[in-house]
Amino acid sequence: MDPTLAVLIYASLAAAAAGLGALPLLVKRPLPVVWIGWANALAAGMMLGAAYALMIGGMARLPAVAALGAAVGIAFVSWTHAVSGTGDLPLNRLHETSPEYGYRLLLVNTLHSAAEGVAIGSAMIVSLPFGVFMALAIAAHNIPEGTVLSAILTTRGVKLVDASGLAVATKVSQVLMAIVSFALIGAAPGLLPWALGFAVGSLVCLVLVDLLPECYQQAGSTSIALVTIVAMGILVLLVSGGG
Amino acid sequence: MPGLLAVFGYGLITALATGLGALPFAVVRRVSAQTVAYANALASGLMLGASFGLVAEGTVLGNWQTVIGAVIGVTFILVTQILLKRHNVEFGRIRGAGARRMVLMLVVMTVHSFAEGVAVGVSFGGGMSLAVVIVVAIAVHNVPEGLAITAVLRPQGTSVLACAGWSIVSSLPQPIMAVPAFLLVEAFQSILPYGIGFAAGAMVFMVLVELLPEAYGQGRRPRVAVLVSATLLAMMLFQQYL
């Protein structure tokens, strides 16, 4: 298979997984706030595990260039949050129906997914199995994220099937960035440590700015910490076991 | 081969290095709620970075041993937290949640030093030249640990000197564990991945259950996020190049 096609397929699978996040809402709607908190914590733990995997599995040692890339990633996340006015915005407001809030909500989710696309694209350059691992990890992470977004959108009056579609739509940036970063690094291999570093820095920063602050307002810190550390531990174990 | 006293002495040097971590806080005079938040964020980044490094080391020695160690570490913090909540702890003049966080921080950092002490002792079994390198490395790594402890204690009004003292105390298991580990290198080598997993699990859980909620409670979330992620990465770099 053409490698770029493989990136397209796996990144699209990861994006589509976000749509599955709407399933819990078939069972229970509105979703209890603590469930939203645990879904956020699940997503946060997997994302931290993915960052660890990129750092250890992708680089073995963190080269100085990768550290610069990580600094760029952190700067990118805080800059995009600042200019889009989403830095201090609570991202999980229920029953908030202003169009302004809906627009910012979708924007912040799209920006969030773009950085994860770089993670998939650069992992695919390291090796195909590592790239597939990263795509599947991001796919699993996208499910609880889809749950959170669908839960919020449905309280705004969006139909469940549309909410599920919007959750996938915010992940289109992931597919785009996976292919763009894969093609760019393929053309200029010197970019790889930069891209890996960028992905690590932005993933860690996004967990801390988008996911964890919401969690602690939705469920008790003990349950949040447990869910996060277990999700993270499973990914760490998978990446250490798989090489 | 070095003598027992030398092994203990080197372990003690690494413990004393932890006290140096209190120094940067000598300049912090006025402590606002914001300072507490960002100091907790700083400690979170340092501990997460240290844990990532530990996990990478532990999984090389044994995947499942590290995981089992981490599960025990998390359970240990949970139990300690429940015990501290039940008894209304005081730390100096501080009471309530603040005092609990301070005591928990000291407990976490002290128990995690046991694994480092084992690492010091085991490394002396490999000959003097390797050992000196590892002692210097662990001593240098201890400085940010002292910084993390001070970041939690100092904003609550503990003096810099007391922070340095507590930092050193938290590392005392290093010389104490180095000696038996040196005498029984092989036995201790096999428990090292459990110890490393325990240390990492306990620290990550402490960050998630106590430090980050406190940081988000008082600080602005973009600043907390940038501070934690930048410190985490700096700590990873620091561990690899020193």
Side-chain angles (χ1 to χ4, degrees), chain B residues 21-113:
Chain B
L23 289 181
F25 271 85
V27 291
V28 179
R29 294 198 185 278
R30 286 191 55 242
V31 181
S32 62
Q34 298 256 308
T35 318
V36 182
Y38 300 129
N40 276 312
L42 178 77
S44 300
L46 292 171
M47 286 163 77
L48 284 178
S51 306
F52 275 25
L54 282 174
V55 170
E57 228 175 278
T59 47
V60 171
L61 299 171
N63 265 330
W64 288 107
Q65 291 93 317
T66 311
V67 171
I68 293 167
V71 171
I72 300 171
V74 171
T75 316
F76 176 80
I77 300 304
L78 271 175
V79 171
T80 314
Q81 207 185 22
I82 292 167
L83 288 177
L84 288 176
K85 271 181 186 160
R86 195 169 295 167
H87 304 97
N88 232 335
V89 280
E90 287 176 34
F91 192 95
R93 282 161 297 148
I94 314 291
R95 291 153 194 269
R100 193 185 69 235
R101 199 174 318 114
M102 292 160 88
V103 173
L104 203 56
M105 184 71 183
L106 285 175
V107 170
V108 170
M109 298 313 275
T110 307
V111 293
H112 118 278
S113 297

Side-chain angles (χ1 to χ4, degrees), chain A residues 62 88 208 214 216 232 240, chain B residues 63 208 216 220-221 240:
Chain A
L62 195 70
D88 281 317
L208 287 155
E214 298 296 336
Y216 291 118
M232 184 183 166
S240 329
Chain B
N63 265 330
L208 289 171
Y216 288 125
R220 294 187 49 205
R221 62 167 79 170
Q240 281 178 5

Side-chain angles (χ1 to χ4, degrees), chain B residues 93-164:
Chain B
R93 282 161 297 148
I94 314 291
R95 291 153 194 269
R100 193 185 69 235
R101 199 174 318 114
M102 292 160 88
V103 173
L104 203 56
M105 184 71 183
L106 285 175
V107 170
V108 170
M109 298 313 275
T110 307
V111 293
H112 118 278
S113 297
F114 280 91
E116 287 178 338
V118 172
V120 172
V122 168
S123 66
F124 272 98
M128 204 55 193
S129 53
L130 175 72
V132 171
V133 174
I134 291 176
V135 164
V136 171
I138 292 190
V140 172
H141 287 187
N142 279 348
V143 177
E145 281 164 20
L147 185 64
I149 291 172
T150 310
V152 174
L153 262 56
R154 176 76 185 121
Q156 304 279 356
T158 314
S159 74
V160 172
L161 206 62
C163 287

Side-chain angles (χ1 to χ4, degrees), chain A residues 67-223:
Chain A
L68 285 176
V72 175
I74 296 171
F76 175 77
V77 169
S78 57
W79 178 70
T80 49
H81 275 79
V83 294
S84 62
T86 48
D88 281 317
L89 188 74
L91 300 176
N92 290 180
R93 253 186 227 158
L94 301 170
H95 307 288
E96 156 80 85
T97 49
S98 76
E100 158 96 8
Y101 186 72
Y103 146 75
R104 286 193 199 275
L105 191 65
L106 295 179
L107 181 66
V108 81
N109 273 283
T110 308
L111 288 169
H112 179 107
S113 309
E116 292 163 347
V118 178
I120 297 177
S122 48
M124 283 282 182
I125 293 275
V126 172
S127 73
L128 182 65
F130 186 60
V132 172
F133 171 83
M134 191 50 60
L136 294 179
I138 298 290
H141 153 93
N142 282 347
I143 299 173
E145 251 182 19
T147 306
V148 174
L149 188 60
S150 309
I152 302 163
L153 289 176
T154 46
T155 66
R156 290 173 60 88
V158 178
K159 275 191 287 182
L160 185 58
V161 65
D162 293 343
S164 166
L166 278 170
V168 177
T170 58
K171 300 291 173 196
V172 169
S173 57
Q174 213 166 62
V175 184
L176 178 73
M177 287 313 289
I179 292 174
V180 167
S181 54
F182 183 79
L184 276 178
I185 306 163
L191 287 176
L192 181 63
W194 284 89
L196 283 169
F198 177 89
V200 169
S202 51
L203 255 55
V204 171
C205 198
L206 284 168
V207 170
L208 287 155
V209 76
D210 286 350
L211 302 175
L212 285 176
E214 298 296 336
C215 295
Y216 291 118
Q217 291 167 15
Q218 295 160 333
S221 59
T222 305
S223 67

